[in-house]
Every structure is written in C-alpha cells, then in structure tokens.
Amino acid sequence: GYTAYEALSPLSTGAAGGKIEVGTPADFQSGSATYVAEGRFYVVNTGSTFFALSQKCPHLGCKVPFCDSSGRFECACHGSVFDIGGEYVKGPAPRGMDRYHLALDNGNLVVNTGILVAGPDRGAHQYLTPPKGPSCLEKS
Ligand code: FES
C-alpha cells in the first residue's frame, strides 16, 4: 500500500515550517487562550507576554484543553496542569508546554510552526497565578 506511504510522507505545507498569521495583539485579551486549529496551537496572552503553545501535552501527547473556569491548561489524560504561560503546575508532565516561535511582523502576530522550543523546566513560575476558579478536571 499506498496508504502507508501517504501516512509517512510529510504534509506538503505546514509540516516544513508554515508561518501562520493569527491577528494583532489587541485581538487577544489578557489572560485568554485562543485555539488555532490550522496550526494545532493556542495563542495566549499572559497579560505581559504572548506565546504560541503547542496543544500537545509534554507528558504523552494528548491534546491539552484550556479550562476557562480555572484559567489554566488541564490535561484530562493524566491530570497535568499548566498555567496561562504553559508553565508546569502539577501532574506527570516532565516540563511546561512546548512553544512555537512567535514574532510581531508589521503589527501582526506570526507563528512559525517549523520552530518548536521545548517547554520551560518544571521550576519555572513566571506566569503562575492562583486559579481563577474551579478546575475542569474536578468537575463531574
Ligand atoms: Fe497529558 Fe499525560 S498526556 S498528562
């Protein structure tokens, strides 16, 4: 089969490092995380910094949802929790969430999906704030 070959061949665009324009900084409210399906990342505004965080949990790769009630990323697979900046809070993840290269170009935020930087060490707490409210993992 050609099916196996198809599965192994790289995507014609994107995988080799596509640049995705996501909007202007004013489009992203402080403390928000906006999912960009095209690149499988979140654009977050920590209030002081913008990041493009990979959706892929640094533990075993599940898609990490953003929990609006707590204002944190909470992985339902094994309970890893990350703050708005993607920094490690708790759980089995070995580090914070990985980040794609993000730059301001002519007033637009541009994410380069070809450049992925490993998430910060577990001890990083630069953007850590108390949870805004209940965790999504504890809801029944
Ligand atoms: Fe996210 Fe295990 S894959 S905690």
Side-chain angles (χ1 to χ4, degrees):
Y2 78 94
T3 308
Y5 172 76
E6 290 282 310
L8 290 171
S9 58
L11 300 171
S12 55
T13 57
K19 291 192 176 179
I20 301 176
E21 250 184 50
V22 293
T24 69
D27 293 333
F28 303 95
Q29 283 187 349
S30 177
S32 70
T34 306
Y35 186 61
V36 179
E38 187 187 352
R40 298 182 185 172
F41 56 76
Y42 295 90
V43 175
V44 306
N45 176 358
T46 67
S48 56
T49 310
F50 291 88
F51 288 117
L53 300 177
S54 168
Q55 68 171 19
K56 199 172 160 187
C57 183
H59 181 223
L60 294 177
C62 287
K63 179 185 173 182
V64 187
F66 184 71
C67 173
D68 284 318
S69 58
S70 69
R72 291 176 164 182
F73 291 92
E74 301 180 355
C75 185
C77 287
H78 315 96
S80 287
V81 175
F82 309 89
D83 66 25
I84 185 69
E87 295 170 324
Y88 174 87
V89 176
K90 64 179 180 182
R95 63 178 184 278
M97 294 166 72
D98 298 338
R99 299 164 177 175
Y100 286 110
H101 183 268
L102 177 70
L104 197 58
D105 184 11
N106 269 328
N108 279 307
L109 291 167
V110 179
V111 178
N112 186 338
T113 59
I115 305 176
L116 184 64
V117 177
D121 290 343
R122 275 186 167 194
H125 290 131
Q126 205 179 335
Y127 305 100
L128 184 64
T129 54
K132 288 197 304 186
S135 163
C136 293
L137 298 176
E138 286 153 21
K139 285 177 194 162
S140 53

PDB file of all heavy atoms in Angstrom, residues 57-62 64 75-80 82 91-93, ligand 1:
ATOM      1  N   CYS A  57       0.434  17.681  24.854  1.00  0.00           N
ATOM      2  CA  CYS A  57       0.920  17.582  26.235  1.00  0.00           C
ATOM      3  C   CYS A  57       2.338  17.022  26.245  1.00  0.00           C
ATOM      4  O   CYS A  57       2.620  16.005  25.604  1.00  0.00           O
ATOM      5  CB  CYS A  57       0.002  16.667  27.038  1.00  0.00           C
ATOM      6  SG  CYS A  57       0.444  16.547  28.782  1.00  0.00           S
ATOM      7  N   PRO A  58       3.264  17.679  26.982  1.00  0.00           N
ATOM      8  CA  PRO A  58       4.635  17.180  27.025  1.00  0.00           C
ATOM      9  C   PRO A  58       4.756  15.856  27.785  1.00  0.00           C
ATOM     10  O   PRO A  58       5.837  15.269  27.810  1.00  0.00           O
ATOM     11  CB  PRO A  58       5.424  18.295  27.711  1.00  0.00           C
ATOM     12  CG  PRO A  58       4.409  19.134  28.398  1.00  0.00           C
ATOM     13  CD  PRO A  58       3.100  18.953  27.690  1.00  0.00           C
ATOM     14  N   HIS A  59       3.661  15.363  28.382  1.00  0.00           N
ATOM     15  CA  HIS A  59       3.709  14.045  29.004  1.00  0.00           C
ATOM     16  C   HIS A  59       3.640  12.981  27.918  1.00  0.00           C
ATOM     17  O   HIS A  59       4.667  12.512  27.456  1.00  0.00           O
ATOM     18  CB  HIS A  59       2.578  13.893  30.037  1.00  0.00           C
ATOM     19  CG  HIS A  59       2.594  12.570  30.737  1.00  0.00           C
ATOM     20  ND1 HIS A  59       1.463  11.852  30.981  1.00  0.00           N
ATOM     21  CD2 HIS A  59       3.630  11.838  31.217  1.00  0.00           C
ATOM     22  CE1 HIS A  59       1.800  10.719  31.600  1.00  0.00           C
ATOM     23  NE2 HIS A  59       3.103  10.703  31.757  1.00  0.00           N
ATOM     24  N   LEU A  60       2.449  12.638  27.450  1.00  0.00           N
ATOM     25  CA  LEU A  60       2.338  11.593  26.429  1.00  0.00           C
ATOM     26  C   LEU A  60       1.610  12.059  25.177  1.00  0.00           C
ATOM     27  O   LEU A  60       1.176  11.243  24.368  1.00  0.00           O
ATOM     28  CB  LEU A  60       1.666  10.344  27.015  1.00  0.00           C
ATOM     29  CG  LEU A  60       2.471   9.621  28.102  1.00  0.00           C
ATOM     30  CD1 LEU A  60       1.683   8.438  28.663  1.00  0.00           C
ATOM     31  CD2 LEU A  60       3.817   9.131  27.566  1.00  0.00           C
ATOM     32  N   GLY A  61       1.460  13.360  25.024  1.00  0.00           N
ATOM     33  CA  GLY A  61       0.997  13.875  23.744  1.00  0.00           C
ATOM     34  C   GLY A  61      -0.488  14.099  23.557  1.00  0.00           C
ATOM     35  O   GLY A  61      -0.931  14.409  22.448  1.00  0.00           O
ATOM     36  N   CYS A  62      -1.283  13.955  24.598  1.00  0.00           N
ATOM     37  CA  CYS A  62      -2.715  14.259  24.457  1.00  0.00           C
ATOM     38  C   CYS A  62      -2.896  15.736  24.120  1.00  0.00           C
ATOM     39  O   CYS A  62      -2.039  16.563  24.427  1.00  0.00           O
ATOM     40  CB  CYS A  62      -3.455  13.992  25.768  1.00  0.00           C
ATOM     41  SG  CYS A  62      -3.674  12.244  26.137  1.00  0.00           S
ATOM     42  N   VAL A  64      -4.130  19.137  25.030  1.00  0.00           N
ATOM     43  CA  VAL A  64      -4.436  19.753  26.317  1.00  0.00           C
ATOM     44  C   VAL A  64      -5.478  20.850  26.135  1.00  0.00           C
ATOM     45  O   VAL A  64      -5.213  21.827  25.449  1.00  0.00           O
ATOM     46  CB  VAL A  64      -3.174  20.376  26.955  1.00  0.00           C
ATOM     47  CG1 VAL A  64      -3.473  20.864  28.363  1.00  0.00           C
ATOM     48  CG2 VAL A  64      -2.025  19.386  26.978  1.00  0.00           C
ATOM     49  N   CYS A  75      -4.746  18.871  31.371  1.00  0.00           N
ATOM     50  CA  CYS A  75      -4.775  17.673  30.521  1.00  0.00           C
ATOM     51  C   CYS A  75      -5.611  16.589  31.190  1.00  0.00           C
ATOM     52  O   CYS A  75      -5.304  16.144  32.298  1.00  0.00           O
ATOM     53  CB  CYS A  75      -3.356  17.169  30.274  1.00  0.00           C
ATOM     54  SG  CYS A  75      -3.323  15.785  29.113  1.00  0.00           S
ATOM     55  N   ALA A  76      -6.656  16.175  30.489  1.00  0.00           N
ATOM     56  CA  ALA A  76      -7.583  15.196  31.061  1.00  0.00           C
ATOM     57  C   ALA A  76      -6.991  13.788  31.076  1.00  0.00           C
ATOM     58  O   ALA A  76      -7.487  12.916  31.787  1.00  0.00           O
ATOM     59  CB  ALA A  76      -8.891  15.200  30.278  1.00  0.00           C
ATOM     60  N   CYS A  77      -5.927  13.553  30.306  1.00  0.00           N
ATOM     61  CA  CYS A  77      -5.390  12.187  30.216  1.00  0.00           C
ATOM     62  C   CYS A  77      -4.824  11.694  31.551  1.00  0.00           C
ATOM     63  O   CYS A  77      -5.196  10.634  32.023  1.00  0.00           O
ATOM     64  CB  CYS A  77      -4.334  12.118  29.124  1.00  0.00           C
ATOM     65  SG  CYS A  77      -5.063  12.187  27.471  1.00  0.00           S
ATOM     66  N   HIS A  78      -3.914  12.490  32.137  1.00  0.00           N
ATOM     67  CA  HIS A  78      -3.321  12.056  33.405  1.00  0.00           C
ATOM     68  C   HIS A  78      -3.217  13.194  34.411  1.00  0.00           C
ATOM     69  O   HIS A  78      -2.465  13.120  35.363  1.00  0.00           O
ATOM     70  CB  HIS A  78      -1.932  11.443  33.183  1.00  0.00           C
ATOM     71  CG  HIS A  78      -1.883  10.489  32.022  1.00  0.00           C
ATOM     72  ND1 HIS A  78      -1.466  10.873  30.769  1.00  0.00           N
ATOM     73  CD2 HIS A  78      -2.264   9.199  31.923  1.00  0.00           C
ATOM     74  CE1 HIS A  78      -1.574   9.828  29.930  1.00  0.00           C
ATOM     75  NE2 HIS A  78      -2.054   8.814  30.613  1.00  0.00           N
ATOM     76  N   GLY A  79      -3.922  14.282  34.141  1.00  0.00           N
ATOM     77  CA  GLY A  79      -4.032  15.335  35.141  1.00  0.00           C
ATOM     78  C   GLY A  79      -2.921  16.360  35.214  1.00  0.00           C
ATOM     79  O   GLY A  79      -2.799  17.063  36.210  1.00  0.00           O
ATOM     80  N   SER A  80      -2.122  16.482  34.169  1.00  0.00           N
ATOM     81  CA  SER A  80      -1.112  17.546  34.212  1.00  0.00           C
ATOM     82  C   SER A  80      -1.793  18.911  34.057  1.00  0.00           C
ATOM     83  O   SER A  80      -2.728  19.061  33.272  1.00  0.00           O
ATOM     84  CB  SER A  80      -0.076  17.374  33.089  1.00  0.00           C
ATOM     85  OG  SER A  80       0.779  16.292  33.388  1.00  0.00           O
ATOM     86  N   PHE A  82      -1.088  23.238  33.679  1.00  0.00           N
ATOM     87  CA  PHE A  82      -0.125  24.266  33.290  1.00  0.00           C
ATOM     88  C   PHE A  82      -0.774  25.636  33.453  1.00  0.00           C
ATOM     89  O   PHE A  82      -1.986  25.784  33.238  1.00  0.00           O
ATOM     90  CB  PHE A  82       0.277  24.079  31.818  1.00  0.00           C
ATOM     91  CG  PHE A  82       0.719  22.677  31.483  1.00  0.00           C
ATOM     92  CD1 PHE A  82      -0.213  21.726  31.064  1.00  0.00           C
ATOM     93  CD2 PHE A  82       2.042  22.298  31.610  1.00  0.00           C
ATOM     94  CE1 PHE A  82       0.181  20.421  30.762  1.00  0.00           C
ATOM     95  CE2 PHE A  82       2.441  20.991  31.309  1.00  0.00           C
ATOM     96  CZ  PHE A  82       1.499  20.052  30.890  1.00  0.00           C
ATOM     97  N   GLY A  91       1.263  17.362  38.097  1.00  0.00           N
ATOM     98  CA  GLY A  91       0.989  16.194  37.275  1.00  0.00           C
ATOM     99  C   GLY A  91       2.264  15.558  36.751  1.00  0.00           C
ATOM    100  O   GLY A  91       3.361  15.975  37.097  1.00  0.00           O
ATOM    101  N   PRO A  92       2.113  14.532  35.885  1.00  0.00           N
ATOM    102  CA  PRO A  92       3.273  13.762  35.429  1.00  0.00           C
ATOM    103  C   PRO A  92       4.089  14.410  34.306  1.00  0.00           C
ATOM    104  O   PRO A  92       5.125  13.869  33.919  1.00  0.00           O
ATOM    105  CB  PRO A  92       2.646  12.447  34.949  1.00  0.00           C
ATOM    106  CG  PRO A  92       1.262  12.822  34.531  1.00  0.00           C
ATOM    107  CD  PRO A  92       0.841  13.962  35.439  1.00  0.00           C
ATOM    108  N   ALA A  93       3.652  15.527  33.760  1.00  0.00           N
ATOM    109  CA  ALA A  93       4.403  16.145  32.651  1.00  0.00           C
ATOM    110  C   ALA A  93       5.826  16.485  33.104  1.00  0.00           C
ATOM    111  O   ALA A  93       6.025  16.973  34.214  1.00  0.00           O
ATOM    112  CB  ALA A  93       3.691  17.402  32.158  1.00  0.00           C
TER     113      ALA A  93
HETATM  114 FE1  FES B   1      -1.190  14.912  29.445  1.00  0.00          FE
HETATM  115 FE2  FES B   1      -0.450  12.507  30.345  1.00  0.00          FE
HETATM  116  S1  FES B   1      -0.713  13.129  28.291  1.00  0.00           S
HETATM  117  S2  FES B   1      -0.937  14.268  31.495  1.00  0.00           S
END
